[in-house]
Amino acid sequence: MTAVQNYRVQSGDTLTGIAHRLGVSPEALMRANHMDAAQADGRMGRGSHDPDRLQVGQQLVIPVATPGLEREHQVVAGETLAGIADRWGVSVKELLAANPQFDASKLGAHAGHGRGQDPDLLHIGDLIRRPKPAPAPDRTGEASVRYGMRLATDEATQQASVQVAGHRDAWLDLQHFADPALGSNAAAAIVIGTAEGTRRPDGGFTPAYGGHTDPGNAAHNRGSFSYQHTASSPADADRRQLQTLSNQLPAYEAAARRAGLDPNNARLASAYLDLLNQSPSAAGRFLNQLGTLRGQPLDAAHIADLRLHSFVDASTGQRFRLGSGGLAGSGFATIAQRQQHGRTPTEAQVQAVIRADQLRRTNAVESALQRQGLLAPAPVAPTTSGGVPRYLQIARGELGTHEIRGSQDNPRVVEYHQATSLKARDDETSWCSSFVNWTMQQAGVRGTNSAAARSWLNWGQAVPKDAAHVRPGDVIVFPRGNNPAQGHVAIVSEVLDNGLVRVIGGNQGVRGENYDGVTYSDRQLSSAVGVRRAP
Amino acid sequence: MMVRMRFPVIALLLPLAAQALPPPPTQLVCAPDGIHRWGVSRDASGTPSQVSLSVAAGTRECDFGSAGSPTAQADGSWRFEWDDEILGQHQRVDVKRAGADGYALTLTPADCGALKVPASATLAPSGKGCSVSVDRDGAFAQFWRQLRDALARGDGELLQQLSLPQLEFVEGPDIVKAPSTVMRRAARCLPRVTATTQRLEIRDMIGGNQAPRLDMPPLSRKGDSRVDFAGAMDIRWTPQGWRMAGFNASRDVFGSCPP
């Protein structure tokens, strides 16, 4: 559940037990109730902030669910069942079993035979129940002998503070992985060939490897990559295509580093190269959007999702339109039409085929990487802290959250409201101050508890309104129109030159859309009515 | 929301730059077989300004568009030659006139990624699966070049010409308007305008030499008549071509931008 609630302590309760039962982390529970985690030692101390001093009947504030620990989850825009399953560490099958509202036979763009909801078509606000936990699989022995394992130490991760300590990452020597001289023995040929249907995860060959007619354009395909150009043998075809793929590795490495990701990550590199073989332009879009993976687990679900959004524009839900007027993924439209027995498919049906194909390919890549000993547990992509206040980091994590058009309300925005005394239940009520209060609350900083933007003018310490004094993390209040009672509050994210500040705030306008959201926006510093710093 | 006029009304009466912007190009597109899609973009004189091709084969696909202007050949044909960054290959396309209003294309190499494509094709408006229309992608490339030039020269008048008469700005929850005269001072501040949810500024795209691709983030088509640059800038289609329509910044950001 996502709403803030209270809980009355009962006999036999422990803080960790309550936290586990309600799907929040013990740390978040302690923070929300002003307890001192340093005093949590299992012994009842004298201090009123000792988490071990729980009293029967005591009221505890239960904060919002901690991602990954919640018992239920309300679907938000862009989520997939596979992504939710992955976050909870369960299989899609287990998730479907715990959620009988879905018809499992419809999974993967199939028509299905039941009347239940299509698991590929989640709706915003759908409630997904978490299955009971299963024993964690033993992941030992996955280390690659051939490629070795190492702690992530590339430039990008050295600059960043890795949030999950001690996580080991699967590491590929990219040049060796896609070395043209290795031809069909290159691991990239095996991995991509498995997705292409020409190879087996163990490195074996399917009949298609030797040569087959492409059902799409009737050209002759050869080798692991279904190569259509002149080659003396399937192995020669592999050498030639590996040369093309490896030529693009510098661009991939640069894009990954820019996004703060490890380019040598086996899943990431394989996904890019497989997509490059499937659709070079989609691979280009994949690179341009790598930043969206930052801070996310680099697992199959997130990678498949980005692959999907290399064909479908995440901001519009429409397929990318090419320069000559065609649409990305036009071959999938033909497949969807075949599945619809010749009827023109809807856009949703075409996209379901793309999604299913990207999931299938991602899983095939995953199985080959695993079989080749190139996988480790999914690491969390690093995020930089850069010394900024925690509430600013939390605010950045909310970028993109926005109101829902029409009568529905985004539960996340309603959550923001619970951080003020107004406790509004809709996303139409102005929520800039609720958002700032919420980020403060999440970071354990006392806010104003008021939904009024100008309430922040009395918070913390005043800061002079000039670039020499203002710094990231300061709270900034702007006027709104000519009404002295109204205003807009946000957090300074960056101090720019020319007297400008880049702020991050909630309830900020998004041009061209009928909603306000959590966004960055540039303002003139001199137009602010006040800048305040946390007490 | 009441719009406050912060700029002299006289500025609205000033004549626009004498030099008229060129009209948008047109394109001839042919999709003869459901697998291939060819395009030739050309200016009013019929001189090609870009060639493009896409091919689909099952779940695989490939496409390219030429970069840069063609070189006129002695025999009256044109040669497009460029290093395709996406495909990682050097590509050449020779274009000859075919009939009154058609073109014959020859590709070297006849490759697109791992997929084979025909080495030649002839496109004509009357051909199977062919059509002629205004080339909004070509017009966008034209607009982008003009915007780069205007910013490089600090040419406020050209920036104003490339804008709608009224522009939208974001001030907290409010979307407010300002006349396009605000663009006269915008040259130094416009490149720094930020995307709404990414660490990206307009200058990150303007700065490069590559032609913008409407099929690739951070640009995003919103229907037929709108292009969004990751929320930082909104560009609208008009009969005269693409024009800036709004920014993710307050009016003050441009209004008080140093010259």
Side-chain angles (χ1 to χ4, degrees), chain A residues 10-320:
Chain A
Q10 292 163 25
S11 178
D13 272 343
T14 62
L15 192 124
T16 49
I18 296 167
H20 177 73
R21 206 158 58 244
L22 299 177
V24 299
S25 74
E27 291 76 10
L29 189 55
M30 285 187 269
R31 202 165 48 238
N33 290 280
H34 310 292
M35 295 172 177
D36 181 3
Q39 296 180 42
D41 56 3
R43 292 173 300 178
M44 195 181 293
R46 290 185 175 180
S48 59
H49 300 299
D50 186 347
D52 298 307
R53 279 180 66 91
L54 281 188
Q55 306 282 328
V56 172
Q58 182 181 346
Q59 287 275 0
L60 291 179
V61 174
I62 308 301
V64 294
T66 305
L69 294 180
E70 66 267 45
R71 292 293 181 87
E72 292 176 324
H73 174 72
Q74 208 154 23
V75 172
V76 296
E79 284 192 314
T80 63
L81 210 59
I84 296 167
D86 194 79
R87 195 165 68 238
W88 282 342
V90 300
S91 67
V92 172
K93 193 176 164 187
E94 288 168 320
L95 200 53
L96 288 171
N99 290 274
Q101 71 271 32
F102 292 111
D103 177 0
S105 66
K106 292 180 180 171
L107 196 64
H110 293 295
H113 44 69
R115 296 179 63 183
Q117 185 180 342
D118 184 344
D120 288 324
L121 298 174
L122 293 187
H123 306 293
I124 292 170
D126 279 353
L127 205 58
I128 310 295
R129 277 178 293 280
R130 183 180 188 168
K132 287 180 182 169
D138 180 7
R139 294 208 182 234
T140 55
E142 283 185 4
S144 163
V145 175
R146 184 173 167 203
Y147 288 84
M149 303 285 290
R150 67 167 195 180
L151 284 169
T153 55
D154 70 280
E155 186 186 326
T157 47
Q158 275 181 341
Q159 289 170 355
S161 63
V162 179
Q163 287 187 325
V164 179
H167 228 120
R168 293 173 77 87
D169 194 356
W171 183 83
L172 286 178
D173 175 340
L174 283 174
Q175 301 307 322
H176 187 68
F177 181 65
D179 185 354
L182 295 173
S184 303
N185 293 323
I190 297 167
V191 169
I192 297 171
T194 302
E196 199 53 45
T198 55
R199 303 293 295 270
R200 299 198 177 91
D202 63 1
F205 303 91
T206 73
Y209 171 83
H212 65 284
T213 300
D214 193 297
N217 65 349
H220 188 62
N221 290 338
R222 301 181 91 173
S224 303
F225 303 99
S226 302
Y227 189 72
Q228 298 192 340
H229 311 303
T230 306
S232 58
S233 65
D236 183 43
D238 282 358
R239 275 191 292 275
R240 288 168 183 263
Q241 184 63 357
L242 280 165
Q243 188 63 60
T244 299
L245 299 179
S246 59
N247 285 346
Q248 296 299 85
L249 286 176
Y252 156 74
E253 290 176 89
R257 288 206 170 90
R258 267 198 309 276
L261 303 174
D262 180 1
N264 298 89
N265 179 279
R267 282 189 178 92
L268 194 65
S270 302
Y272 168 69
L273 290 173
D274 180 50
L275 197 53
L276 182 59
N277 191 60
Q278 184 182 25
S279 167
S281 288
R285 294 181 205 110
F286 184 86
L287 292 191
N288 284 6
Q289 300 178 94
L290 276 180
T292 62
L293 287 177
R294 194 180 176 84
Q296 304 290 326
L298 287 180
D299 54 23
H302 286 85
I303 285 176
D305 199 47
L306 183 53
R307 289 183 65 142
L308 167 69
H309 289 125
S310 301
F311 293 93
V312 177
D313 186 340
S315 71
T316 63
Q318 301 296 311
R319 280 181 288 155
F320 290 100

Side-chain angles (χ1 to χ4, degrees), chain A residues 196 214-221 225-230 241 244 247-248 251 272 276-282 284-285 288-289 309 311 313 315-316 320-332 334-335 357-358 360-361 384 396 399-401 430 432 480-482 487-488 493-494 496-498 500 502 507-513 516 518-524 527, chain B residues 1 4 27 29 34-39 50 52-64 84-89 110-117 135 137 168-175 188-189 192-201 213-224 226 228 231-234 236 245-250 252-254 256-258:
Chain A
E196 199 53 45
D214 193 297
N217 65 349
H220 188 62
N221 290 338
F225 303 99
S226 302
Y227 189 72
Q228 298 192 340
H229 311 303
T230 306
Q241 184 63 357
T244 299
N247 285 346
Q248 296 299 85
Y272 168 69
L276 182 59
N277 191 60
Q278 184 182 25
S279 167
S281 288
R285 294 181 205 110
N288 284 6
Q289 300 178 94
H309 289 125
F311 293 93
D313 186 340
S315 71
T316 63
F320 290 100
R321 198 186 309 160
L322 309 178
S324 54
L327 293 173
S330 58
F332 293 104
T334 309
I335 295 168
D357 177 71
Q358 295 307 307
R360 180 194 66 74
R361 291 190 83 104
T384 50
R396 286 174 178 161
L399 280 164
T401 303
S430 290
C432 61
R480 193 173 171 200
N482 295 322
H488 176 70
S493 178
E494 204 175 336
L496 309 173
D497 49 13
N498 298 330
L500 306 180
R502 180 155 299 156
N507 198 192
Q508 299 199 142
V510 182
R511 281 168 306 94
E513 310 292 353
D516 293 344
V518 179
T519 67
Y520 288 121
S521 183
D522 291 349
R523 303 290 300 255
Q524 190 74 32
S527 70
Chain B
M1 175 91 197
R4 279 180 296 165
Q27 68 175 349
V29 173
I35 296 172
H36 304 95
R37 193 176 184 93
W38 305 81
Q50 198 193 32
S52 61
L53 169 65
S54 62
V55 54
T59 63
R60 291 190 297 159
E61 64 184 16
C62 186
D63 65 275
F64 64 66
D84 195 298
E85 285 193 353
I86 298 287
L87 298 177
Q89 70 186 28
D111 299 355
C112 193
L115 301 180
K116 198 176 193 62
V117 291
D135 179 9
D137 287 68
E168 289 184 345
F169 294 87
V170 174
E171 290 181 3
D174 302 315
I175 306 295
R188 284 186 63 179
C189 296
R192 294 297 304 272
V193 174
T194 182
T196 48
T197 60
Q198 301 173 51
R199 295 224 168 164
L200 193 67
E201 297 177 350
R213 286 188 57 159
L214 288 177
D215 66 336
M216 207 158 278
L219 291 173
S220 173
R221 288 179 198 266
K222 306 272 187 182
D224 283 338
R226 198 180 139 212
D228 176 63
M233 177 167 64
D234 188 27
R236 303 285 170 104
F247 298 90
N248 185 34
S250 68
D252 295 342
V253 167
F254 289 177
S256 56
C257 189

